[in-house]
mmCIF file of all heavy atoms in Angstrom:
data_model
loop_
_atom_site.group_PDB
_atom_site.id
_atom_site.type_symbol
_atom_site.label_atom_id
_atom_site.label_comp_id
_atom_site.label_asym_id
_atom_site.label_seq_id
_atom_site.Cartn_x
_atom_site.Cartn_y
_atom_site.Cartn_z
ATOM 1 N N ASN A 1 -29.957 18.387 89.477
ATOM 2 C CA ASN A 1 -30.685 19.507 90.024
ATOM 3 C C ASN A 1 -29.876 20.096 91.215
ATOM 4 O O ASN A 1 -30.336 21.024 91.839
ATOM 5 C CB ASN A 1 -32.076 19.129 90.474
ATOM 6 C CG ASN A 1 -32.048 17.861 91.374
ATOM 7 O OD1 ASN A 1 -30.998 17.510 91.980
ATOM 8 N ND2 ASN A 1 -33.202 17.260 91.485
ATOM 9 N N CYS A 2 -28.738 19.520 91.418
ATOM 10 C CA CYS A 2 -27.856 20.019 92.537
ATOM 11 C C CYS A 2 -26.379 20.003 92.115
ATOM 12 O O CYS A 2 -26.030 19.436 91.058
ATOM 13 C CB CYS A 2 -27.993 19.191 93.844
ATOM 14 S SG CYS A 2 -29.551 19.273 94.622
ATOM 15 N N TYR A 3 -25.558 20.591 92.886
ATOM 16 C CA TYR A 3 -24.117 20.465 92.576
ATOM 17 C C TYR A 3 -23.410 20.543 94.019
ATOM 18 O O TYR A 3 -23.869 20.973 95.009
ATOM 19 C CB TYR A 3 -23.651 21.792 91.906
ATOM 20 C CG TYR A 3 -23.845 23.147 92.485
ATOM 21 C CD1 TYR A 3 -22.760 23.746 93.185
ATOM 22 C CD2 TYR A 3 -25.034 23.854 92.448
ATOM 23 C CE1 TYR A 3 -22.945 24.991 93.809
ATOM 24 C CE2 TYR A 3 -25.170 25.023 93.040
ATOM 25 C CZ TYR A 3 -24.164 25.592 93.679
ATOM 26 O OH TYR A 3 -24.317 26.835 94.317
ATOM 27 N N ALA A 4 -22.184 19.982 94.014
ATOM 28 C CA ALA A 4 -21.325 19.927 95.200
ATOM 29 C C ALA A 4 -20.363 21.073 95.195
ATOM 30 O O ALA A 4 -19.794 21.504 94.183
ATOM 31 C CB ALA A 4 -20.577 18.587 95.226
ATOM 32 N N LYS A 5 -20.116 21.585 96.445
ATOM 33 C CA LYS A 5 -19.190 22.714 96.549
ATOM 34 C C LYS A 5 -18.400 22.475 97.855
ATOM 35 O O LYS A 5 -18.871 22.066 98.840
ATOM 36 C CB LYS A 5 -20.084 24.070 96.747
ATOM 37 C CG LYS A 5 -19.132 25.239 96.898
ATOM 38 C CD LYS A 5 -19.991 26.543 97.014
ATOM 39 C CE LYS A 5 -19.192 27.723 97.113
ATOM 40 N NZ LYS A 5 -19.986 29.005 97.333
ATOM 41 N N VAL A 6 -17.115 22.728 97.772
ATOM 42 C CA VAL A 6 -16.207 22.684 98.967
ATOM 43 C C VAL A 6 -16.204 24.037 99.602
ATOM 44 O O VAL A 6 -15.817 25.086 98.941
ATOM 45 C CB VAL A 6 -14.798 22.206 98.537
ATOM 46 C CG1 VAL A 6 -13.936 22.236 99.773
ATOM 47 C CG2 VAL A 6 -14.896 20.896 97.822
ATOM 48 N N ILE A 7 -16.543 24.081 100.900
ATOM 49 C CA ILE A 7 -16.492 25.310 101.648
ATOM 50 C C ILE A 7 -15.519 25.146 102.875
ATOM 51 O O ILE A 7 -15.341 23.950 103.277
ATOM 52 C CB ILE A 7 -17.951 25.802 102.078
ATOM 53 C CG1 ILE A 7 -18.490 24.815 103.135
ATOM 54 C CG2 ILE A 7 -18.834 25.953 100.894
ATOM 55 C CD1 ILE A 7 -19.821 25.271 103.714
ATOM 56 N N THR A 8 -15.039 26.220 103.393
ATOM 57 C CA THR A 8 -14.144 26.176 104.504
ATOM 58 C C THR A 8 -14.910 26.771 105.714
ATOM 59 O O THR A 8 -15.329 28.002 105.694
ATOM 60 C CB THR A 8 -12.886 26.960 104.248
ATOM 61 O OG1 THR A 8 -12.199 26.375 103.075
ATOM 62 C CG2 THR A 8 -11.966 26.814 105.419
ATOM 63 N N VAL A 9 -14.971 25.976 106.733
ATOM 64 C CA VAL A 9 -15.672 26.420 108.036
ATOM 65 C C VAL A 9 -14.679 26.189 109.170
ATOM 66 O O VAL A 9 -14.375 25.012 109.394
ATOM 67 C CB VAL A 9 -16.960 25.637 108.249
ATOM 68 C CG1 VAL A 9 -17.558 26.184 109.548
ATOM 69 C CG2 VAL A 9 -17.953 25.824 107.090
ATOM 70 N N GLU A 10 -14.306 27.301 109.790
ATOM 71 C CA GLU A 10 -13.301 27.278 110.883
ATOM 72 C C GLU A 10 -12.135 26.392 110.524
ATOM 73 O O GLU A 10 -11.692 25.481 111.198
ATOM 74 C CB GLU A 10 -13.902 26.647 112.064
ATOM 75 C CG GLU A 10 -15.129 27.480 112.677
ATOM 76 C CD GLU A 10 -15.824 26.977 113.867
ATOM 77 O OE1 GLU A 10 -15.507 25.704 114.157
ATOM 78 O OE2 GLU A 10 -16.698 27.542 114.457
ATOM 79 N N SER A 11 -11.504 26.713 109.378
ATOM 80 C CA SER A 11 -10.304 26.168 108.814
ATOM 81 C C SER A 11 -10.383 24.685 108.468
ATOM 82 O O SER A 11 -9.469 24.070 108.259
ATOM 83 C CB SER A 11 -9.070 26.306 109.850
ATOM 84 O OG SER A 11 -8.888 27.670 110.177
ATOM 85 N N GLN A 12 -11.613 24.199 108.329
ATOM 86 C CA GLN A 12 -11.844 22.852 107.929
ATOM 87 C C GLN A 12 -12.689 22.761 106.669
ATOM 88 O O GLN A 12 -13.722 23.404 106.576
ATOM 89 C CB GLN A 12 -12.632 22.043 109.072
ATOM 90 C CG GLN A 12 -12.761 20.578 108.712
ATOM 91 C CD GLN A 12 -13.444 19.834 109.842
ATOM 92 O OE1 GLN A 12 -13.820 20.385 110.961
ATOM 93 N NE2 GLN A 12 -13.666 18.519 109.730
ATOM 94 N N LYS A 13 -12.281 22.053 105.651
ATOM 95 C CA LYS A 13 -12.957 21.891 104.427
ATOM 96 C C LYS A 13 -14.095 20.925 104.526
ATOM 97 O O LYS A 13 -13.975 19.839 105.081
ATOM 98 C CB LYS A 13 -12.029 21.472 103.288
ATOM 99 C CG LYS A 13 -10.967 22.588 102.915
ATOM 100 C CD LYS A 13 -10.105 22.108 101.752
ATOM 101 C CE LYS A 13 -9.139 23.261 101.400
ATOM 102 N NZ LYS A 13 -8.272 22.770 100.249
ATOM 103 N N LYS A 14 -15.293 21.433 104.004
ATOM 104 C CA LYS A 14 -16.498 20.490 104.047
ATOM 105 C C LYS A 14 -17.085 20.493 102.639
ATOM 106 O O LYS A 14 -16.942 21.470 101.929
ATOM 107 C CB LYS A 14 -17.544 21.079 105.058
ATOM 108 C CG LYS A 14 -17.031 21.017 106.435
ATOM 109 C CD LYS A 14 -18.061 21.616 107.423
ATOM 110 C CE LYS A 14 -17.557 21.544 108.865
ATOM 111 N NZ LYS A 14 -17.602 20.100 109.366
ATOM 112 N N ILE A 15 -17.764 19.372 102.390
ATOM 113 C CA ILE A 15 -18.508 19.281 101.056
ATOM 114 C C ILE A 15 -19.973 19.409 101.357
ATOM 115 O O ILE A 15 -20.529 18.695 102.136
ATOM 116 C CB ILE A 15 -18.204 17.931 100.414
ATOM 117 C CG1 ILE A 15 -16.667 17.852 100.123
ATOM 118 C CG2 ILE A 15 -19.031 17.734 99.167
ATOM 119 C CD1 ILE A 15 -16.273 16.458 99.464
ATOM 120 N N VAL A 16 -20.551 20.367 100.656
ATOM 121 C CA VAL A 16 -22.032 20.667 100.908
ATOM 122 C C VAL A 16 -22.723 20.572 99.559
ATOM 123 O O VAL A 16 -22.221 20.994 98.483
ATOM 124 C CB VAL A 16 -22.238 22.005 101.526
ATOM 125 C CG1 VAL A 16 -23.713 22.183 101.768
ATOM 126 C CG2 VAL A 16 -21.496 22.080 102.823
ATOM 127 N N ILE A 17 -23.934 19.890 99.513
ATOM 128 C CA ILE A 17 -24.645 19.824 98.263
ATOM 129 C C ILE A 17 -25.693 21.004 98.222
ATOM 130 O O ILE A 17 -26.442 21.185 99.131
ATOM 131 C CB ILE A 17 -25.458 18.490 98.206
ATOM 132 C CG1 ILE A 17 -24.540 17.297 98.494
ATOM 133 C CG2 ILE A 17 -26.123 18.368 96.879
ATOM 134 C CD1 ILE A 17 -23.332 17.190 97.522
ATOM 135 N N TYR A 18 -25.550 21.809 97.143
ATOM 136 C CA TYR A 18 -26.464 22.912 96.884
ATOM 137 C C TYR A 18 -27.521 22.609 95.840
ATOM 138 O O TYR A 18 -27.139 21.778 94.918
ATOM 139 C CB TYR A 18 -25.623 24.154 96.393
ATOM 140 C CG TYR A 18 -24.869 24.901 97.495
ATOM 141 C CD1 TYR A 18 -23.652 24.396 97.881
ATOM 142 C CD2 TYR A 18 -25.353 26.131 97.960
ATOM 143 C CE1 TYR A 18 -22.884 25.118 98.851
ATOM 144 C CE2 TYR A 18 -24.649 26.795 98.915
ATOM 145 C CZ TYR A 18 -23.371 26.358 99.301
ATOM 146 O OH TYR A 18 -22.677 27.001 100.286
ATOM 147 N N SER A 19 -28.647 23.194 95.878
ATOM 148 C CA SER A 19 -29.666 23.000 94.812
ATOM 149 C C SER A 19 -29.362 23.980 93.684
ATOM 150 O O SER A 19 -29.088 25.176 93.898
ATOM 151 C CB SER A 19 -31.055 23.330 95.344
ATOM 152 O OG SER A 19 -31.103 24.578 95.927
ATOM 153 N N LYS A 20 -29.410 23.547 92.434
ATOM 154 C CA LYS A 20 -29.258 24.372 91.304
ATOM 155 C C LYS A 20 -30.561 25.032 90.814
ATOM 156 O O LYS A 20 -30.515 26.149 90.229
ATOM 157 C CB LYS A 20 -28.727 23.497 90.082
ATOM 158 C CG LYS A 20 -27.338 23.033 90.150
ATOM 159 C CD LYS A 20 -26.920 22.251 89.038
ATOM 160 C CE LYS A 20 -26.945 23.029 87.680
ATOM 161 N NZ LYS A 20 -26.537 22.249 86.535
ATOM 162 N N GLN A 21 -31.674 24.439 91.166
ATOM 163 C CA GLN A 21 -32.953 24.873 90.768
ATOM 164 C C GLN A 21 -33.944 24.457 91.746
ATOM 165 O O GLN A 21 -33.648 23.829 92.763
ATOM 166 C CB GLN A 21 -33.297 24.214 89.349
ATOM 167 C CG GLN A 21 -33.325 22.679 89.459
ATOM 168 C CD GLN A 21 -33.098 22.061 88.195
ATOM 169 O OE1 GLN A 21 -32.272 22.385 87.353
ATOM 170 N NE2 GLN A 21 -33.834 20.906 87.904
ATOM 171 N N HIS A 22 -35.213 24.840 91.525
ATOM 172 C CA HIS A 22 -36.346 24.415 92.501
ATOM 173 C C HIS A 22 -36.460 22.906 92.401
ATOM 174 O O HIS A 22 -36.503 22.346 91.298
ATOM 175 C CB HIS A 22 -37.589 25.205 92.064
ATOM 176 C CG HIS A 22 -38.797 24.742 92.964
ATOM 177 N ND1 HIS A 22 -38.925 25.251 94.149
ATOM 178 C CD2 HIS A 22 -39.678 23.892 92.734
ATOM 179 C CE1 HIS A 22 -40.035 24.653 94.754
ATOM 180 N NE2 HIS A 22 -40.542 23.831 93.888
ATOM 181 N N ILE A 23 -36.660 22.305 93.532
ATOM 182 C CA ILE A 23 -36.850 20.829 93.604
ATOM 183 C C ILE A 23 -38.148 20.605 94.269
ATOM 184 O O ILE A 23 -38.510 21.120 95.403
ATOM 185 C CB ILE A 23 -35.660 20.151 94.482
ATOM 186 C CG1 ILE A 23 -34.296 20.488 93.777
ATOM 187 C CG2 ILE A 23 -35.865 18.724 94.555
ATOM 188 C CD1 ILE A 23 -33.143 20.014 94.553
ATOM 189 N N ASN A 24 -38.915 19.787 93.656
ATOM 190 C CA ASN A 24 -40.286 19.499 94.157
ATOM 191 C C ASN A 24 -40.235 18.329 95.174
ATOM 192 O O ASN A 24 -39.214 17.552 95.194
ATOM 193 C CB ASN A 24 -41.175 19.059 92.939
ATOM 194 C CG ASN A 24 -41.417 20.256 91.978
ATOM 195 O OD1 ASN A 24 -41.604 21.389 92.409
ATOM 196 N ND2 ASN A 24 -41.385 19.846 90.685
ATOM 197 N N VAL A 25 -41.366 18.128 95.853
ATOM 198 C CA VAL A 25 -41.495 17.028 96.804
ATOM 199 C C VAL A 25 -41.419 15.722 96.073
ATOM 200 O O VAL A 25 -41.914 15.592 94.948
ATOM 201 C CB VAL A 25 -42.796 17.212 97.530
ATOM 202 C CG1 VAL A 25 -43.014 15.950 98.533
ATOM 203 C CG2 VAL A 25 -42.908 18.468 98.365
ATOM 204 N N ASN A 26 -40.703 14.690 96.619
ATOM 205 C CA ASN A 26 -40.492 13.354 96.006
ATOM 206 C C ASN A 26 -39.598 13.404 94.754
ATOM 207 O O ASN A 26 -39.440 12.337 94.132
ATOM 208 C CB ASN A 26 -41.866 12.762 95.674
ATOM 209 C CG ASN A 26 -42.746 12.431 96.825
ATOM 210 O OD1 ASN A 26 -42.135 12.114 97.939
ATOM 211 N ND2 ASN A 26 -43.991 12.557 96.778
ATOM 212 N N GLU A 27 -38.997 14.492 94.449
ATOM 213 C CA GLU A 27 -38.019 14.556 93.390
ATOM 214 C C GLU A 27 -36.713 14.028 93.857
ATOM 215 O O GLU A 27 -36.272 14.431 94.951
ATOM 216 C CB GLU A 27 -37.914 15.930 92.736
ATOM 217 C CG GLU A 27 -37.017 16.078 91.579
ATOM 218 C CD GLU A 27 -36.975 17.491 91.018
ATOM 219 O OE1 GLU A 27 -37.842 18.291 91.413
ATOM 220 O OE2 GLU A 27 -36.097 17.751 90.109
ATOM 221 N N GLU A 28 -36.037 13.315 93.050
ATOM 222 C CA GLU A 28 -34.733 12.762 93.469
ATOM 223 C C GLU A 28 -33.599 13.818 93.384
ATOM 224 O O GLU A 28 -33.598 14.583 92.454
ATOM 225 C CB GLU A 28 -34.310 11.493 92.575
ATOM 226 C CG GLU A 28 -32.999 10.893 93.034
ATOM 227 C CD GLU A 28 -32.730 9.522 92.388
ATOM 228 O OE1 GLU A 28 -33.537 9.142 91.498
ATOM 229 O OE2 GLU A 28 -31.657 8.981 92.647
ATOM 230 N N ILE A 29 -32.775 13.828 94.389
ATOM 231 C CA ILE A 29 -31.622 14.753 94.494
ATOM 232 C C ILE A 29 -30.508 14.134 93.692
ATOM 233 O O ILE A 29 -30.072 13.004 93.923
ATOM 234 C CB ILE A 29 -31.128 14.919 95.909
ATOM 235 C CG1 ILE A 29 -32.375 15.378 96.789
ATOM 236 C CG2 ILE A 29 -30.016 15.980 95.986
ATOM 237 C CD1 ILE A 29 -32.916 16.741 96.453
ATOM 238 N N THR A 30 -29.892 14.861 92.764
ATOM 239 C CA THR A 30 -28.815 14.306 91.928
ATOM 240 C C THR A 30 -27.706 15.437 91.801
ATOM 241 O O THR A 30 -28.024 16.651 91.913
ATOM 242 C CB THR A 30 -29.269 13.925 90.558
ATOM 243 O OG1 THR A 30 -29.867 15.101 89.891
ATOM 244 C CG2 THR A 30 -30.325 12.855 90.603
ATOM 245 N N TYR A 31 -26.540 15.057 91.503
ATOM 246 C CA TYR A 31 -25.422 15.940 91.101
ATOM 247 C C TYR A 31 -24.504 15.187 90.171
ATOM 248 O O TYR A 31 -24.545 13.975 90.059
ATOM 249 C CB TYR A 31 -24.755 16.524 92.321
ATOM 250 C CG TYR A 31 -23.890 15.584 93.148
ATOM 251 C CD1 TYR A 31 -22.642 15.329 92.827
ATOM 252 C CD2 TYR A 31 -24.510 15.012 94.254
ATOM 253 C CE1 TYR A 31 -21.917 14.354 93.584
ATOM 254 C CE2 TYR A 31 -23.751 14.121 95.088
ATOM 255 C CZ TYR A 31 -22.450 13.875 94.706
ATOM 256 O OH TYR A 31 -21.781 12.872 95.505
ATOM 257 N N ASP A 32 -23.658 15.927 89.493
ATOM 258 C CA ASP A 32 -22.666 15.362 88.595
ATOM 259 C C ASP A 32 -21.443 14.957 89.389
ATOM 260 O O ASP A 32 -20.830 15.781 89.954
ATOM 261 C CB ASP A 32 -22.308 16.441 87.495
ATOM 262 C CG ASP A 32 -21.530 15.823 86.331
ATOM 263 O OD1 ASP A 32 -20.900 14.825 86.565
ATOM 264 O OD2 ASP A 32 -21.471 16.451 85.319
ATOM 265 N N TYR A 33 -21.148 13.621 89.278
ATOM 266 C CA TYR A 33 -19.986 13.084 89.990
ATOM 267 C C TYR A 33 -18.635 13.744 89.477
ATOM 268 O O TYR A 33 -17.681 13.754 90.252
ATOM 269 C CB TYR A 33 -19.913 11.604 89.906
ATOM 270 C CG TYR A 33 -20.947 10.859 90.740
ATOM 271 C CD1 TYR A 33 -21.911 11.568 91.529
ATOM 272 C CD2 TYR A 33 -20.972 9.536 90.769
ATOM 273 C CE1 TYR A 33 -22.849 10.885 92.250
ATOM 274 C CE2 TYR A 33 -21.904 8.814 91.530
ATOM 275 C CZ TYR A 33 -22.815 9.530 92.288
ATOM 276 O OH TYR A 33 -23.705 8.812 93.070
ATOM 277 N N LYS A 34 -18.591 13.974 88.181
ATOM 278 C CA LYS A 34 -17.395 14.587 87.568
ATOM 279 C C LYS A 34 -16.158 13.630 87.804
ATOM 280 O O LYS A 34 -15.125 14.190 88.219
ATOM 281 C CB LYS A 34 -17.092 16.027 88.075
ATOM 282 C CG LYS A 34 -18.225 17.038 87.711
ATOM 283 C CD LYS A 34 -17.818 18.397 88.120
ATOM 284 C CE LYS A 34 -18.931 19.351 87.722
ATOM 285 N NZ LYS A 34 -18.596 20.841 88.098
ATOM 286 N N PHE A 35 -16.379 12.384 87.467
ATOM 287 C CA PHE A 35 -15.281 11.473 87.562
ATOM 288 C C PHE A 35 -14.185 11.728 86.520
ATOM 289 O O PHE A 35 -14.609 12.186 85.443
ATOM 290 C CB PHE A 35 -15.799 10.048 87.426
ATOM 291 C CG PHE A 35 -16.432 9.381 88.551
ATOM 292 C CD1 PHE A 35 -17.091 8.202 88.480
ATOM 293 C CD2 PHE A 35 -16.404 10.032 89.829
ATOM 294 C CE1 PHE A 35 -17.746 7.663 89.603
ATOM 295 C CE2 PHE A 35 -17.083 9.516 90.955
ATOM 296 C CZ PHE A 35 -17.657 8.241 90.809
ATOM 297 N N PRO A 36 -12.946 11.542 86.808
ATOM 298 C CA PRO A 36 -11.870 11.767 85.810
ATOM 299 C C PRO A 36 -12.025 10.762 84.694
ATOM 300 O O PRO A 36 -12.589 9.623 84.855
ATOM 301 C CB PRO A 36 -10.587 11.510 86.595
ATOM 302 C CG PRO A 36 -10.975 10.629 87.777
ATOM 303 C CD PRO A 36 -12.350 11.042 88.073
ATOM 304 N N ILE A 37 -11.614 11.136 83.472
ATOM 305 C CA ILE A 37 -11.717 10.236 82.315
ATOM 306 C C ILE A 37 -10.726 9.091 82.438
ATOM 307 O O ILE A 37 -9.549 9.271 82.684
ATOM 308 C CB ILE A 37 -11.388 11.044 80.978
ATOM 309 C CG1 ILE A 37 -12.436 12.174 80.834
ATOM 310 C CG2 ILE A 37 -11.397 10.160 79.800
ATOM 311 C CD1 ILE A 37 -12.206 13.053 79.665
ATOM 312 N N GLU A 38 -11.255 7.837 82.263
ATOM 313 C CA GLU A 38 -10.444 6.621 82.299
ATOM 314 C C GLU A 38 -10.808 5.769 81.177
ATOM 315 O O GLU A 38 -11.845 5.879 80.487
ATOM 316 C CB GLU A 38 -10.697 5.961 83.679
ATOM 317 C CG GLU A 38 -10.236 6.772 84.895
ATOM 318 C CD GLU A 38 -10.566 6.033 86.195
ATOM 319 O OE1 GLU A 38 -11.144 4.914 86.135
ATOM 320 O OE2 GLU A 38 -10.184 6.529 87.229
ATOM 321 N N ASP A 39 -9.905 4.789 80.966
ATOM 322 C CA ASP A 39 -10.155 3.821 79.817
ATOM 323 C C ASP A 39 -11.307 2.903 80.124
ATOM 324 O O ASP A 39 -12.072 2.579 79.184
ATOM 325 C CB ASP A 39 -8.789 2.978 79.616
ATOM 326 C CG ASP A 39 -7.738 3.940 79.028
ATOM 327 O OD1 ASP A 39 -8.054 4.953 78.449
ATOM 328 O OD2 ASP A 39 -6.542 3.490 79.266
ATOM 329 N N VAL A 40 -11.325 2.370 81.411
ATOM 330 C CA VAL A 40 -12.419 1.526 81.720
ATOM 331 C C VAL A 40 -13.632 2.435 82.125
ATOM 332 O O VAL A 40 -13.614 3.141 83.152
ATOM 333 C CB VAL A 40 -11.998 0.594 82.977
ATOM 334 C CG1 VAL A 40 -13.195 -0.277 83.374
ATOM 335 C CG2 VAL A 40 -10.838 -0.223 82.596
ATOM 336 N N LYS A 41 -14.659 2.339 81.292
ATOM 337 C CA LYS A 41 -15.827 3.188 81.452
ATOM 338 C C LYS A 41 -16.815 2.542 82.383
ATOM 339 O O LYS A 41 -17.082 1.384 82.473
ATOM 340 C CB LYS A 41 -16.489 3.444 80.063
ATOM 341 C CG LYS A 41 -15.547 4.138 79.075
ATOM 342 C CD LYS A 41 -15.142 5.502 79.583
ATOM 343 C CE LYS A 41 -14.296 6.152 78.515
ATOM 344 N NZ LYS A 41 -13.858 7.533 78.999
ATOM 345 N N ILE A 42 -17.472 3.516 83.167
ATOM 346 C CA ILE A 42 -18.595 3.132 84.029
ATOM 347 C C ILE A 42 -19.835 3.680 83.380
ATOM 348 O O ILE A 42 -20.015 4.848 83.236
ATOM 349 C CB ILE A 42 -18.432 3.704 85.410
ATOM 350 C CG1 ILE A 42 -17.123 3.368 86.042
ATOM 351 C CG2 ILE A 42 -19.600 3.325 86.374
ATOM 352 C CD1 ILE A 42 -16.755 4.033 87.357
#
C-alpha cells in the first residue's frame, strides 16, 4: 500500500515512504523491497 522514493532536499538524498492508496486505521504499512535477483532465495 506504499512505495519508497528517493528525494533530494538541500543537496542531500533522503528515502521517504509514500502511500499508494488510502490506508485505514490499524492497517499495516508495506512496500516492495525490490531485492535484486539472487540464487539463494528469501
Side-chain angles (χ1 to χ4, degrees):
N1 52 21
C2 293
Y3 64 95
K5 182 179 179 181
V6 179
I7 66 175
T8 302
V9 179
E10 296 178 352
S11 302
Q12 183 178 1
K13 291 184 178 180
K14 297 178 178 291
I15 297 175
V16 182
I17 309 302
Y18 283 80
S19 55
K20 290 180 61 178
Q21 61 204 39
H22 177 81
I23 300 175
N24 296 317
V25 178
N26 293 326
E27 184 177 349
E28 183 170 2
I29 307 296
T30 59
Y31 66 87
D32 191 339
Y33 285 3
K34 295 184 178 180
F35 281 171
I37 298 176
E38 297 179 356
D39 294 334
V40 180
K41 299 298 182 181
I42 303 174

